[in-house]
Amino acid sequence: MGVSQYLYYACHPNQLRSIIQWKLWHNALHERNRETEAPTLKRCFEFLDLTSRSFSAVIQELTPELCVPIALFYLILRGLDTIEDDMSLPLHEKEPYLRSFHEILDKEGWTFTKSGPNEKDRQLLVEFSVVNEEFAKIKKEYRDIIKDITKKMGNGMADYANNAEHNVNGVNTIADYDLYCHYVAGLVGEGLTGLFVAAGLANPALLQRKNLSNAMGLFLQKTNIIRDYREDLDDGRRFWPKEIWSKYTDDFKSLADPKNEEAALNCISDMTLNALTHADECLYYLAGIKDQSVFNFAAIPQVMAIATLTLVFRNKDVFQKNVKIPKGEACQLMLDVGNLRSVSGVFRKYMKQIRTKNTPSDPNFLKISAACAKVDQFIETIFPTPTDPAVIERTRQLEATGETPEEAALAKKEMLILIAAVITTLTVISGFMIFLAWLAGARFDLAFSDMSETFSRITSGGGELREVVSEVTKEAVETVTAAHAEL
């Protein structure tokens, strides 16, 4: 950790506290049993750590029923995405793999060695046989869901790879933007929902409300697209829809020019507004989760997304570098995820921050305010603001101290009990030691006699001591008076 980080945490001690709390006190709901895992499964989790350590940690805390299926789902989509992103592969060779990747999952021993040497996840495809081997072991119901999503995503990627206009000029319309985000993220939400419901850990009604699972993916993907402006620009890619950015400039690259700062900030607020339209649906979706580990798995990325979206909103640094929320804030968000009420509280907090950063000079000012109000209104319908004075005071104390009045009273009672226990223990130990000393022959009567004699001597000598002090004081006064007379 560099000097700048030390200084940062010195100025933000709460974030340092959150990091320490997460590292020391976080207990996983579930843990893998590595002793019973096959070597191929261990290798799959190694690849999961290499592709995304933070996401891997969340997956590994899932209930054992879904831990392996979701880990394999992620690796399969990562392999598919690696082929799609590999610019060293010609389109005529890449397209067949994209459209048939769901069939490859049933081919025992299949591997792929044609990826370019600079591809981050090349080794995953080189050893993809371990994924296929473990994939064959999970329930058929899970395999069918994963294969269906892989087929849809692969065909969507192939369609975009064949879209010359998209390859040259990027995304044009908001409808194209939504469709692209659906293929790369919304389908993931749809597949995960299928797995959650198949395992009996989510409300089956979520399967009928695919707009909710789609919103979960779009909210994450759109937030990342806004944040990654600089990185994508440097790589020659453009995912911001022209329908939005063309309202503020004729050249997408010019948004990074400091001379166009105001137009760029207004553009990023428009992009933020587009992403915010999915926020309330994300909360609606989370209400349908039944299992705590699944809730954490689904909710943590969403609170990270709303925090990131708040960070990038009207932030000029987005056009110059890749901005991220601080690690301490991320740890605090993970600690805050416990239930729908706490997650709603996180969303409400960041809605307030967005409103604070919003400015009347922005042409999207009213729409941003309305979008934030929509999220707040949705939360209000689930968790109404209390009107009872007692409840209000209880809430105020909880926000101020992190404890309810009952918890505070219990903590005070426990402290008094602890103090009484300490005093009692010291008294018993002291008494026991005195008793042992008496058995060993200690003469406490002589000790008390000496103490009494010393006290009497001090008391009787008090008059003489006062006389001496009085004489010394009188001489001092006479000396000072004489000195003044000579002057």
Side-chain angles (χ1 to χ4, degrees):
M1 191 163 65
V3 176
S4 60
Q5 288 181 300
Y6 282 114
L7 293 175
Y8 177 84
Y9 288 123
C11 298
H12 300 83
N14 287 337
Q15 291 192 18
L16 179 60
R17 178 173 176 265
S18 297
I19 294 174
I20 295 173
Q21 283 183 317
W22 179 260
K23 296 291 186 183
L24 296 182
W25 308 117
H26 170 68
N27 294 317
L29 291 173
H30 304 282
E31 294 184 358
R32 289 165 49 206
N33 187 355
R34 291 172 171 80
E35 295 180 358
T36 62
E37 291 178 351
T40 49
L41 182 56
K42 290 181 179 179
R43 185 59 175 156
C44 286
F45 279 109
E46 288 175 6
F47 279 124
L48 194 63
D49 287 335
L50 292 173
T51 54
S52 176
R53 183 169 292 276
S54 58
F55 197 62
S56 173
V58 178
I59 290 177
Q60 292 182 56
E61 291 189 13
L62 277 167
T63 172
E65 176 67 21
L66 287 179
C67 179
V68 173
I70 289 180
L72 296 175
F73 185 31
Y74 183 84
L75 291 176
I76 288 167
L77 297 185
R78 176 61 71 175
L80 179 66
D81 187 60
T82 300
I83 293 176
E84 192 267 340
D85 280 345
D86 193 346
M87 303 308 293
S88 66
L89 290 175
L91 179 59
H92 70 273
E93 188 174 348
K94 178 189 300 187
E95 183 178 357
Y97 285 110
L98 295 177
R99 296 196 185 278
S100 65
F101 204 77
H102 63 287
E103 298 173 354
I104 289 171
L105 301 180
D106 292 327
K107 295 182 179 180
E108 184 178 352
W110 184 88
T111 60
F112 187 81
T113 58
K114 299 179 180 179
S115 294
N118 296 324
E119 287 299 316
K120 175 178 176 289
D121 296 309
R122 181 183 188 279
Q123 192 60 31
L124 170 62
L125 290 172
V126 172
E127 300 182 44
F128 203 77
S129 58
V130 299
V131 177
N132 281 354
E133 184 174 338
E134 290 301 322
F135 181 73
K137 298 177 183 179
I138 64 176
K139 294 179 180 179
K140 183 179 183 302
E141 188 176 10
Y142 297 158
R143 294 202 305 270
D144 290 342
I145 293 170
I146 293 173
K147 288 171 67 175
D148 178 58
I149 297 301
T150 304
K151 179 181 179 180
K152 292 178 180 178
M153 185 176 290
N155 283 318
M157 289 178 171
D159 291 343
Y160 270 97
N162 277 306
N163 188 332
E165 172 68 16
H166 173 77
N167 293 334
V168 175
N169 298 318
V171 178
N172 280 323
T173 67
I174 294 177
D176 291 338
Y177 183 47
D178 287 342
L179 183 60
Y180 172 79
C181 291
H182 167 73
Y183 277 128
V184 300
L187 285 174
V188 179
E190 183 180 324
L192 289 172
T193 302
L195 294 174
F196 298 159
V197 173
L201 303 177
N203 192 325
L206 291 177
L207 295 177
Q208 310 305 319
R209 299 289 300 273
K210 291 187 177 180
N211 61 303
L212 299 180
S213 58
N214 190 55
M216 292 282 283
L218 265 61
F219 187 60
L220 298 179
Q221 186 66 21
K222 289 183 175 182
T223 299
N224 290 338
I225 286 175
I226 298 171
R227 181 198 64 193
D228 295 341
Y229 170 90
R230 184 76 246 180
E231 181 181 333
D232 290 334
L233 184 66
D234 293 341
D235 291 340
R237 299 178 295 185
R238 197 205 75 203
F239 296 107
W240 290 29
K242 186 176 181 179
E243 185 177 340
I244 290 180
W245 63 259
S246 62
K247 292 188 288 185
Y248 306 95
T249 181
D250 295 328
D251 182 7
F252 182 64
K253 296 179 181 179
S254 68
L255 292 173
D257 190 340
K259 296 178 182 178
N260 302 321
E261 181 178 306
E262 188 61 28
L265 293 178
N266 292 338
C267 182
I268 205 172
S269 72
D270 207 339
M271 291 290 293
T272 302
L273 173 63
N274 180 273
L276 274 176
T277 59
H278 308 292
D280 58 328
E281 290 183 308
C282 293
L283 294 174
Y284 199 159
Y285 178 93
L286 292 173
I289 303 298
K290 300 178 181 179
D291 178 79
Q292 184 64 56
S293 69
V294 173
F295 182 87
N296 293 348
F297 172 78
I300 287 176
Q302 301 302 322
V303 295
M304 296 293 184
I306 190 60
T308 302
L309 192 64
T310 304
L311 176 64
V312 301
F313 176 61
R314 295 193 65 81
N315 185 346
K316 62 183 180 180
D317 290 341
V318 171
F319 300 101
Q320 308 303 329
K321 61 182 180 180
N322 188 283
V323 298
K324 294 182 178 180
I325 59 175
K327 186 176 181 180
E329 185 175 356
C331 289
Q332 184 58 54
L333 288 170
M334 291 189 288
L335 290 169
D336 288 342
V337 170
N339 51 51
L340 186 59
R341 180 183 288 275
S342 62
V343 171
S344 297
V346 171
F347 270 70
R348 181 173 275 169
K349 178 182 73 173
Y350 285 109
M351 289 301 103
K352 184 177 180 181
Q353 292 184 21
I354 288 177
R355 282 196 295 268
T356 301
K357 294 174 69 176
N358 201 12
T359 173
S361 62
D362 187 337
N364 302 290
F365 174 74
L366 292 178
K367 292 180 179 179
I368 290 286
S369 299
C372 293
K374 181 184 177 184
V375 177
D376 285 337
Q377 185 178 15
F378 178 80
I379 296 174
E380 186 69 19
T381 60
I382 306 175
F383 305 109
T385 301
T387 56
D388 184 5
V391 177
I392 294 175
E393 175 59 24
R394 177 189 178 91
T395 304
R396 185 199 64 76
Q397 181 170 339
L398 181 62
E399 293 177 350
T401 65
E403 295 179 326
T404 64
E406 293 81 2
E407 290 172 337
L410 180 61
K412 183 177 180 180
K413 180 179 179 181
E414 290 176 347
M415 181 60 69
L416 292 175
I417 292 174
L418 179 62
I419 293 173
V422 170
I423 293 175
T424 301
T425 302
L426 292 176
T427 302
V428 171
I429 292 175
S430 299
F432 184 68
M433 293 178 66
I434 292 172
F435 177 69
L436 289 179
W438 177 75
L439 290 177
R443 295 293 304 274
F444 292 110
D445 56 333
L446 296 179
F448 287 135
S449 177
D450 288 342
M451 290 175 59
S452 177
E453 183 178 344
T454 301
F455 180 76
S456 298
R457 191 182 303 117
I458 293 173
T459 303
S460 62
E464 298 177 0
L465 180 62
R466 283 194 295 272
E467 290 178 3
V468 172
V469 171
S470 177
E471 290 178 3
V472 172
T473 303
K474 183 177 180 181
E475 291 178 359
V477 170
E478 292 175 352
T479 302
V480 172
T481 302
H484 276 286
E486 292 179 1
L487 292 173

